Amino acid sequence: LDRHPGLGLQPAACKSRAGPRHRIVTRIEQARIDSASGVTHWTGLHGSSLALALLHAARAHDGVMLVVTRSSRQAGNLESDLALLGGGDIEILHFPDREILPYDPFSSHPEIAADRLAALAAITGLRRGLVIAAAATLMERLPPCAHVLGQSFDLRVGQPLVIAEFRDRLLMGGYAVAEQVYQAGQFAVRGSVVDLFPTGCSAPLRIDLFDEEIESIRPFDPDTQRSSGQIRSMRMLPAREYPCDAAAFESFRRTFRARFAVDTRKVRLYQDLRSGIHPQGLEQYLPLFFEETVNLSAYFREPPALLVQQGVNDAMDRFWRRTEDRWEQRRHDAEQPVLDPAELYFSPADTGWDLATRSRVTFGGEATDAGRSVDFDTSAAPDLRIHQRSAEPAAAVKSFIDSFPGRVMFAADTPGRREFLADTLAAFGLRPARFDNWAAFQAAAEPTGLAVLPIDAGFLAGQTIAILTETQLFGGRARLRVVREAAERDPESIIRSLADLAEGAPVVHEDHGIGRYRGLQVLEIDGRPAEFLTLEYAGSDKLYVPVSSLHLVSRYTGSGEESAPLHRLGGERWEKAKRRAAEKVRDVAAELLDLYARRHARKGFAFPLDQKMYAEFCSEFPFEETQDQQRSIEAVQNDMCSSLPMDRVICGDVGFGKTEVALRAAFVAAQGGKQVALLVPTTLLAQQHFATFSDRFADWPIRVELLSRFRTGKQSERVLEGLANGAVDIVIGTHRLIQRDIRFARLGLVIIDEEQRFGVRQKERLKQLRTKVDLLTLTATPIPRTLNMAMSGIRDLSIIATPPARRMAVKTLVTRWNRALLREALQREIQRGGQAFFLHNEVRSIDRIASDIAELVPEARIGVAHGQMRERELEAVMLDFYRQRFNVLVCTTIIENGIDIPTANTIIINRADRFGLAQLHQLRGRVGRSHHRAYAYL
């Protein structure tokens, strides 16, 4: 402890701001974890001070400590706080749960499965440090340690490696063969190169062989396929929690037949396994693979010290009840038989007894009568909100710093937020010293500091230190996204890819024209094997293209693949085609030159930009921008500040953040004294945008109005009058906005959301607007004409291709109508506290469908919404669903565009065969808008 003086705090009586110790260290010395100390209660821990207490306890304890939380969310928050406040000297491991419900017929996401196996392997070798786990994960039956360690092996440069043997070993470890490696648990063999995404690695690896020896191991980017750097050695772990060799599968099938009295010919999971397929949900039969399963404690070298959050036993009881309920629903399914809860999980009595009979520390509540108590005497950070429009905006912050005798740390969520916070504080005469991290602040003596420190919550440790987060300063904080570094992407790289090229498909070689791809072939050149693409041309001529020249080959994008015209090698046909294309390119270039000459000749309005006010508005965005989103925002801002009229298309998948781009463009226009018109295809989307815009502009002198059938005649008249006299700054509306009687006083920006939903006549009216104002188009599924104009440069294009971090792909299932499956899908969502859409696009029978669902899932709270309802009734239903007053919405395609309800993560689309592909894509985009696994049933 003398080597780790910690926060530099002192008892309350001391007034110096740079003392050598603080009360958390003192309390840890009093509460030293001892195997004979029985039960100790930690009280008085507020905010993220728990993480500091755990770190000091881990440093004082000669061994491993297991921290048990009530829920996975609390475990994740604690892991983040520990990593931020730790000095890197303490090993911190989080054993995640599977993020699926008991008896789900799905497997965990491969990244989650990889994280679990990596954590188990790390725990077996851990001698000191912290392990965090939620109560439910302690109840899981896990594979014995011998499986994880027995399937592990080392790879290093210079090591002999036979491709065939290595491939078999990977298959036995549960790795899957893939054309292109992009997620954990996959590998691809191409000649003397093996691409592999090992369990526990953050990036895939490329193993190059020289003969039968590993020449290099290099990480690579799965998007660009470019490798960078080298590693000398690595530890390979299995990819699945069950063994995958032939003997293990045969033993499983034998045990399965003995355990379940069912016709295995009708059990798809059993038949898939016989065919060599890894079926989804096989982890639900884990005990059938092993003679004995274990819990998490079996992976520790020595029994760990226990720290248990109060309420863990109640959390275990709730989980057990939910498991038993799901078992009752599934126990009679002959096509998907299930194990008893006691076979899959340890009961609360068993797990609770294991916790109750060992020495432990409890935290997160009041002390009980049993055991001794240690009070850490921390307190929640005060509300020091900065009110920008008051006479003294930062009066509370300045008063607190003047009166507080200890040191103060301002904690920003991201580097961008740090810069904004520094500017804001500087404007009020506060200039805290900047630090790279918490450890640097500890080692310094400055009374105030500022760092990127996105901890869960601020706190005060007595009168000696205060950590103030954005919640205390602004009343809220950015919901932090860990933005992955993405490679630079442009439209060309998105459409040019041979990853999914099938044998026999037509391709285009830059020098030789159109041929057919006939697969990869290994040829020996100068005594060394090399890999070539085989292309077949007219007359059965063949061309061998080395893999290193892959950039010369692209996909054929003409008419049908079967009718692709093959060229002759050495013929003139390809050269003539290239000359004709070059002439057409020159023609298009002339058209573009004429277009841009006319645009330059016609002066537009250059919007002035108040950087300080704009930064303040941007700070209200509750997320961290992705790189693509930030580039799109900057492009729009540059266009608007230019004197040329803007005509930009923002193309991004549903839920990727296009609305925020529109909000910032609207702010720039409104602050520049111009009016904004936001055109949307449906009244429901108009209502949601109106709510979003009203909320973001609530503290600004900007009037936002709605023009749709949700408004009465008098309300619409007032809006039209406000548009004509300039009183309305931003108007959001449907097709009503482009009717002839609409008059704007000073229209400067038109934003079109979901342009593909508007017809030709409506776009003719928009063309007239486009000659006078800036135009911003938002779309997830652009029509071919819009896309062609954007790609050819007639319209500017920005692509938002990066999803928010932790956004998981929607699990999509195409199936026949099945009442049992519908009941399971809805119950899964309801039991995890979420909401579901049930889409039935026929108004005359929608009430009957709602009654059927109520009978199928009695615990569901059901609402109905369709376009023939009265405006007020529809608005009330959608508002109730948004506020989670009911959890299943039976609806028509009225929800198709833009509806954003993050808690709704299941959608069931009845008669999906009646919808178009773009429509299904939009409908599926209504779910999966948070970091939880979402499900779409078609």
Side-chain angles (χ1 to χ4, degrees), residues 261-444:
V262 295
D263 185 354
T264 55
R265 292 172 298 180
K266 297 180 180 179
V267 180
R268 190 175 68 178
L269 177 141
Y270 184 93
Q271 294 302 321
D272 284 349
L273 208 55
R274 285 190 62 185
S275 304
I277 300 172
H278 288 282
Q280 287 284 309
L282 194 56
E283 291 83 359
Q284 302 287 352
Y285 301 91
L286 191 70
L288 301 186
F289 281 96
F290 305 104
E291 293 183 5
E292 183 182 11
T293 51
V294 299
N295 62 11
L296 184 62
S297 61
Y299 280 80
F300 292 89
R301 287 172 174 262
E302 301 288 340
L306 273 176
L307 297 101
V308 181
Q309 187 177 22
Q310 290 195 19
V312 157
N313 289 334
D314 292 338
M316 289 182 177
D317 289 337
R318 286 193 299 271
F319 177 78
W320 187 255
R321 286 195 300 271
R322 288 198 300 267
T323 303
E324 289 183 323
D325 290 343
R326 289 180 62 78
W327 175 71
E328 286 290 344
Q329 298 165 12
R330 298 286 304 278
R331 59 183 298 192
H332 300 299
D333 188 350
E335 295 184 2
Q336 188 86 17
V338 295
L339 296 173
D340 295 345
E343 293 177 280
L344 269 180
Y345 299 94
F346 293 96
S347 70
D350 293 338
T351 313
W353 180 87
D354 187 44
L355 296 177
T357 56
R358 295 173 57 187
S359 298
R360 63 195 181 281
V361 169
T362 67
F363 60 87
E366 298 299 322
T368 60
D369 295 336
R372 63 195 186 96
S373 175
V374 177
D375 184 7
F376 284 84
D377 192 26
T378 68
S379 58
D383 185 353
L384 306 173
R385 197 167 306 186
I386 296 173
H387 299 280
Q388 292 282 1
R389 290 167 182 79
S390 64
E392 293 187 39
V397 180
K398 295 168 76 173
S399 175
F400 175 80
I401 292 177
D402 290 341
S403 61
F404 189 71
R407 304 175 68 204
V408 178
M409 162 66 86
F410 292 99
D413 283 339
T414 65
R417 300 292 300 175
R418 178 192 60 198
E419 298 307 312
F420 171 76
L421 186 54
D423 292 344
T424 302
L425 294 174
F428 305 123
L430 300 174
R431 290 178 172 79
R434 296 195 181 206
F435 296 96
D436 292 335
N437 49 44
W438 172 250
F441 178 68
Q442 284 182 278

Side-chain angles (χ1 to χ4, degrees), residues 106 268 335 811-822 825 907-913 936-938:
F106 315 114
R268 190 175 68 178
E335 295 184 2
K811 180 84 175 175
T812 307
L813 299 97
V814 182
T815 179
R816 294 182 180 276
W817 180 276
N818 183 314
R819 289 177 64 85
L821 185 64
L822 293 177
I907 186 169
I908 299 167
I909 303 176
N910 189 23
R911 291 309 303 266
D913 55 303
Y937 295 82
L938 311 184

